[in-house]
Amino acid sequence: MSSTTESRPRVVIVGAGIVGCSLADELTARGWRDITVLEQGPLPAPGGSTSHAPGLVFQTSPSKTLTAFARYTVEKFNSLAVDGVSCFDQVGGLELATTPERLADLHRRAGYATSWGVRGEIVSAARCKELWPLIDESVVLGGFHTPDDGLARAVLAAHAQQARATEKGARFLDRHTVTGIERENGRVTAVVTDRGTFPADHVVSAAGFWGPVIGRMAGVDVPLQPLAHQYARTKRLPELARARAEASKPILRHQDRDLYFREHHDRVGIGSYAHKPLPVDPFAILPYDEARANDMEMPSSFPFTDEDWAPSWEDCRELIPALRDTEIEEGFNGVFSFTPDGMPLLGESRQLRGFWLAEAVWVTHSAGVAKAVAEWMVDGRASIDLHECELTRFEEAQRSPSYVRERGSRQFVEVYDVLHPLQPMEQPRPLRVSPFYARQRELGARFLEGGGWERPHWYEANAPLVDALAPVPERDAWSARYWSPIAAAEAKATRERVALFDMTPLRRLEVTGPGALGFLQRMTSNNLRKKPGAVTYTLLLDETGGVRSDLTVARLAVDRFQVGANSPADLDWLNRHAPDDVHVRDITSGTCCIGVWGPLARDLVQPLTRDDFSHEGFGYFRAKEAHVGHVPVTAMRLSYVGELGWELYTSADLGLRLWDTLWEAGREHGVVAAGRSAFNSLRLEKGYRAWGVDMTDEHNPYEAGVGFAVRMDKDGFVGQEALRGISRSEPTRRLTPLLLDDPSAVVLGKEPVHVDGAPAGYVTSASYGYTLGRCVAYAWLPVLPAGAGVHIEYFGEKIRATVADEPLFDPKMTRIRR
């Protein structure tokens, strides 16, 4: 929990939209009473995005976290009412498919819904017509119906929560414009407004598209881009003349044309994402009174641009013929927020302690976000995994204003696109490249992207090797995207000869200082009290024993460690806890790494160095400083692919020389460059976990299968006390290895898993195991014995799989330790 001497700290929330009101309610429900919510506009509708939001709540998302937010929002708003009017109309949701590609996507969405616990089903075109009689059934192929979705009355829900929070001691002050954030010794101390100063131990920016403005006052970067989005209402429709309720039909999506629809009594409201992105400068958005003085209904409501609307109007009339006899009565371009990856910005700033963000949050997720942030503030952690939303997740290279604008605008374009889980962004690229990039291009690397890095997934130069393979099963069109059978050849070369893997994008931290060992011992679960040269796999846990991250820690000297980490959040977490005699810094950008793996790895490396790389002279999980050719390296005998080899680290300026040295020496051994596609296959055959995918802080080490990295007999470490109460031998669920029974079948991840005919869990990682001749899938499931049969739902089809013992490949670890 953020440090404060107050048992009930003073909290100032900036913004009384749906997020600010929800957060005040959640905080007061947890016993915090000194809550002040400041709003520059009038209450209850202050003129931000909440004031004009159409209120659609579709719960299902590829993100488990976003779905959990939306589910809680539905649950909470369903329980709220103002003067007998419910804050939520549970009319259901209906997503239409007018193309085969969209229908397939709806099957995937139905799978997500099953995985995350949302009711939904694929329905026929005729059923779509029954649910929405005004549509032209002839253009519809089918739909996805979710009966528990519906319409949030956002202003009403904000008002209801404001009233509840006020009863518990919170105060809401409208017409207070924030002009500054006061700070001292790296902590927030007060919020300054045009009507006074408000002392604070915590300040939460829930200002919506004004978030960057508030952030600048605090000296905190807020990577958020406001964009305008068209919304219109038709004139009265005779077909809806008998409407008694505001809405009775499901909220409707026509994603093939970037459109959505909802009823407003006898009118239809229509939103469009089909127009060009219309970015808005948050520093140029007018305050409420100035906006009204300029003939704007509210600051978030910009004039309707008819030229952008015209194509969408024709698409509306094609789907709903009744619209051909009416016109648009009113419309506006409403402003709301996008981030570079489309996810919210949540958490406490690393630059200013006590300054929190709850930004880029749509009404759909508002109550769920507020609950999570309140838990985080009060208890020190949320009850669900938030790593996709943490504001620390972006690299420095992803925080420039031009990047945020470009990627935020692209997120607007892609809101309703059919997106593949491996689909990379198109621009701006290339942004971050390793020193080997030029050589990789010469070898025909097919690059995807992650964290701004160009990452080779396979190399076209290895295409001739495919001819020597046993036939690789053909894939369906979806799983074949961003995949090549060349990956099988690269995996085979790694298992039989030797391959070079670019591991540069993996994060590297340096921890130094007199207190470095004690600090890392306290922060991690395994025992690091070993002689220099030792490498240890260990975990970062939170106070509840949840897995925040997994690390490899190399002790290079008495007071110097190199840490292999996962995300910027790891750096932030360690820096938050580091004492004065410990220095933690990110060295990723100034260094690079090549993984040299395969049974011939020693034959390749040993002739290039005078240092002893024999098994006796350089054991597994050891590190040493050495020279490979002319290049000084830090060599670590690790293998994430289950083969003999080393990770070789050097400075970025020497990286190309290291690659060329290894490449030339490796020719006689049949060396290949291998990409992430083969890498993922190889690591799953060995059962190596990927943090953020296979395990998060929602899981403890024992159920995640990494309990071997916990040493309960060492002196106190974060999470130790919580683990004392957790059964090591009898977890109720496990990360479970599955082998698909059909050698030609594949799944990709996030699919629901059925046990005895009922949904029981979901797939995390999956890849074809080329050595095993089966697709390997890991899934969170109830504890099942090896040999048990399950079914994985893929595009609505049930694919049989069998629970396997792990590791699936080389269980005695003979290939690594030789």
Side-chain angles (χ1 to χ4, degrees):
M1 182 163 59
S2 300
S3 61
T4 178
T5 58
E6 303 287 338
S7 59
R8 291 188 175 182
R10 299 165 297 179
V11 179
V12 175
I13 299 171
V14 180
I18 189 63
V19 178
C21 291
S22 297
L23 180 57
D25 184 42
E26 294 289 338
L27 286 172
T28 54
R30 286 163 176 78
W32 285 18
R33 296 288 184 261
D34 194 347
I35 313 291
T36 301
V37 184
L38 302 175
E39 174 55 57
Q40 68 168 343
L43 292 174
S49 299
T50 300
S51 302
H52 65 68
L56 281 70
V57 179
F58 284 93
Q59 297 173 86
T60 305
S61 165
S63 166
K64 180 174 179 284
T65 298
L66 287 187
T67 302
F69 288 159
R71 288 182 61 190
Y72 183 76
T73 300
V74 168
E75 175 187 334
K76 185 174 187 181
F77 288 3
N78 249 332
S79 70
L80 298 175
V82 176
D83 297 330
V85 179
S86 173
C87 294
F88 192 78
D89 267 350
Q90 202 154 38
V91 293
L94 179 62
E95 303 179 44
L96 300 178
T98 60
T99 65
E101 293 77 15
R102 181 65 62 181
L103 186 59
D105 187 58
L106 294 187
H107 278 283
R108 282 188 296 277
R109 289 183 61 76
Y112 297 144
T114 302
S115 290
W116 315 144
V118 176
R119 288 200 304 154
E121 63 173 340
I122 299 296
V123 296
S124 66
R127 177 60 176 153
C128 292
K129 178 73 171 178
E130 291 176 7
L131 292 165
W132 244 90
L134 300 186
I135 66 171
D136 180 357
E137 179 186 357
S138 69
V139 302
V140 176
L141 300 181
F144 175 45
H145 180 223
T146 46
D148 299 328
D149 291 341
L151 292 164
R153 294 186 173 93
V155 173
L156 206 64
H159 180 62
Q161 292 176 100
Q162 175 187 340
R164 297 196 335 174
T166 300
E167 289 178 359
K168 295 183 179 72
R171 58 176 175 169
F172 290 75
L173 304 176
D174 63 1
R175 300 293 189 177
H176 280 66
T177 299
V178 174
T179 58
I181 306 292
E182 293 186 349
R183 40 201 154 144
E184 185 177 340
N185 298 324
R187 282 202 62 87
V188 69
T189 58
V191 177
V192 182
T193 76
D194 58 349
R195 298 175 66 178
T197 298
F198 297 84
D201 302 300
H202 298 278
V203 173
V204 185
S205 177
F209 50 71
W210 280 295
V213 179
I214 303 301
R216 180 176 291 183
M217 296 177 190
V220 173
D221 178 38
V222 180
L224 174 159
Q225 177 60 56
L227 286 110
H229 160 61
Q230 290 199 303
Y231 191 78
R233 296 191 193 192
T234 68
K235 294 181 177 179
R236 291 184 175 88
L237 294 181
E239 292 83 353
L240 300 178
R242 296 183 179 180
R244 294 292 179 266
E246 180 181 357
S248 60
K249 302 174 184 61
I251 48 178
L252 185 69
R253 275 176 168 169
H254 181 22
Q255 292 158 297
D256 289 322
R257 292 295 183 269
D258 296 308
L259 294 166
Y260 63 82
F261 305 83
R262 59 152 295 178
E263 297 168 282
H264 292 281
H265 296 286
D266 55 2
R267 295 170 171 81
V268 173
I270 307 165
S272 172
Y273 293 99
H275 55 83
K276 66 181 182 293
L278 301 170
V280 175
D281 181 358
F283 295 90
I285 299 175
L286 298 175
Y288 186 90
D289 291 326
E290 288 186 39
R292 298 283 287 181
N294 283 271
D295 297 323
M296 295 171 61
E297 183 179 346
M298 61 185 78
S300 59
S301 178
F302 281 41
F304 194 66
T305 48
D306 293 301
E307 66 277 10
D308 294 315
W309 178 256
S312 291
W313 185 229
E314 293 306 311
D315 292 331
C316 293
R317 290 172 157 183
E318 179 184 12
L319 179 68
I320 304 176
L323 300 181
R324 296 169 187 168
D325 298 322
T326 190
E327 298 294 337
I328 296 300
E329 184 171 68
E330 58 182 348
F332 64 95
N333 290 4
V335 182
F336 62 145
S337 303
F338 287 81
T339 58
D341 61 1
M343 299 292 287
L345 294 171
L346 310 179
E348 187 183 21
S349 166
R350 70 172 74 172
Q351 297 106 324
L352 182 62
R353 295 295 181 254
F355 185 81
W356 296 74
L357 295 184
E359 298 289 14
V361 181
W362 296 4
V363 171
T364 303
H365 310 113
S366 55
V369 163
K371 177 188 177 189
V373 173
E375 290 172 336
W376 201 347
M377 294 177 71
V378 175
D379 303 325
R381 74 181 298 275
S383 57
I384 64 172
D385 168 48
L386 298 181
H387 83 273
E388 294 176 307
C389 307
E390 286 196 30
L391 62 94
T392 57
R393 69 187 182 271
F394 294 116
E395 308 284 351
E396 287 303 315
Q398 297 174 299
R399 304 181 78 95
S400 70
S402 58
Y403 185 94
V404 172
R405 180 185 175 96
E406 186 169 355
R407 291 306 307 155
S409 297
R410 187 62 195 171
Q411 289 296 326
F412 178 91
V413 171
E414 294 176 350
V415 162
Y416 283 169
D417 284 2
V418 176
L419 299 176
H420 193 277
L422 292 177
Q423 186 168 333
M425 67 180 188
E426 296 177 1
Q427 295 296 333
R429 291 181 64 191
L431 183 63
R432 307 177 78 188
V433 299
S434 79
F436 325 127
Y437 182 66
R439 297 294 183 263
Q440 292 166 341
R441 292 187 65 186
E442 291 169 4
L443 293 170
R446 176 62 187 270
F447 293 99
L448 300 184
E449 180 273 339
W453 288 99
E454 295 297 313
R455 296 186 173 191
H457 271 241
W458 67 86
Y459 295 84
E460 291 296 332
N462 296 324
L465 301 178
V466 175
D467 295 337
L469 296 174
V472 179
E474 292 187 5
R475 293 196 172 198
D476 63 272
W478 184 250
S479 63
R481 292 183 67 186
Y482 308 105
W483 172 85
S484 168
I486 294 171
E490 294 174 1
K492 181 179 174 68
T494 307
R495 291 277 187 241
E496 296 181 354
R497 300 192 303 278
V498 61
L500 306 184
F501 290 81
D502 182 1
M503 306 300 288
T504 301
L506 299 186
R507 183 168 308 279
R508 291 172 291 286
L509 309 178
E510 183 182 70
V511 181
T512 57
L517 174 61
F519 167 63
L520 289 173
Q521 281 283 81
R522 186 173 72 256
M523 296 303 298
T524 71
S525 63
N526 212 334
N527 183 22
L528 307 181
R529 197 174 296 280
K530 302 171 183 177
K531 294 179 180 180
V535 182
T536 306
Y537 177 82
T538 187
L539 307 173
L540 284 180
L541 304 178
D542 63 21
E543 294 289 353
T544 70
V547 181
R548 280 193 57 93
S549 188
D550 64 341
L551 312 174
T552 54
V553 179
R555 191 176 191 183
L556 302 181
V558 171
D559 58 359
R560 180 166 66 93
F561 296 80
Q562 182 171 307
V563 177
N566 285 296
S567 75
D570 294 342
L571 174 64
D572 181 62
W573 179 256
L574 292 174
N575 270 325
R576 285 175 185 271
H577 293 85
D580 292 340
D581 63 348
V582 174
H583 183 60
V584 184
R585 69 186 184 102
D586 192 326
I587 61 172
T588 309
S589 296
T591 57
C592 60
C593 179
I594 299 175
V596 186
W597 291 313
L600 301 183
R602 184 174 289 115
D603 297 330
L604 191 164
V605 176
Q606 184 63 82
L608 299 174
T609 180
R610 294 182 179 181
D611 293 277
D612 186 357
F613 273 58
S614 69
H615 181 63
E616 295 74 20
F618 198 157
Y620 190 53
F621 266 86
R622 298 293 297 173
K624 67 168 62 177
E625 308 287 350
H627 283 82
V628 173
H630 297 287
V631 181
V633 300
T634 299
M636 298 187 195
R637 192 168 167 198
L638 305 174
S639 177
Y640 207 49
V641 300
E643 295 293 337
L644 170 69
W646 293 267
E647 294 178 357
L648 301 178
Y649 298 88
T650 192
S651 56
D653 60 323
L654 291 169
L656 189 59
R657 183 61 179 263
L658 177 61
W659 179 280
D660 288 345
T661 300
L662 294 167
W663 186 258
E664 290 303 317
R667 288 183 185 275
E668 64 177 287
H669 303 294
V671 71
V672 303
R676 298 286 299 182
S677 186
F679 178 88
N680 200 44
S681 170
L682 296 166
R683 70 100 180 166
L684 280 173
E685 289 183 331
K686 283 298 294 179
Y688 294 147
R689 277 61 168 152
W691 183 86
V693 178
D694 297 317
M695 58 186 180
T696 69
D697 61 7
E698 291 183 0
H699 311 110
N700 71 60
Y702 307 130
E703 61 191 8
V706 289
F708 62 87
V710 177
R711 293 291 180 268
M712 291 297 290
D713 56 350
K714 79 167 188 174
D715 292 340
F717 60 88
V718 175
Q720 185 178 41
E721 289 306 310
L723 293 184
R724 294 190 194 282
I726 296 174
S727 172
R728 196 183 173 109
S729 59
E730 298 180 3
T732 58
R733 60 177 178 176
R734 277 203 181 106
L735 185 61
T736 305
L738 305 174
L739 283 175
L740 274 61
D741 292 1
D742 182 351
S744 65
V746 295
V747 297
L748 300 180
K750 300 187 178 181
E751 295 89 357
V753 182
H754 299 257
V755 177
D756 296 330
Y762 59 91
V763 174
T764 58
S765 295
S767 181
Y768 200 85
Y770 301 109
T771 317
L772 302 173
R774 292 286 191 279
C775 183
V776 180
Y778 272 76
W780 280 103
L781 291 170
V783 176
L784 297 170
V790 302
H791 288 87
I792 302 174
E793 185 178 335
Y794 182 69
F795 285 90
E797 177 187 354
K798 302 288 178 56
I799 300 174
R800 185 171 175 81
T802 301
V803 175
D805 282 321
E806 60 175 344
L808 305 171
F809 175 78
D810 188 27
K812 295 184 178 180
M813 306 285 281
T814 56
R815 298 174 71 92
I816 293 176
R817 295 188 172 98
R818 60 182 175 184

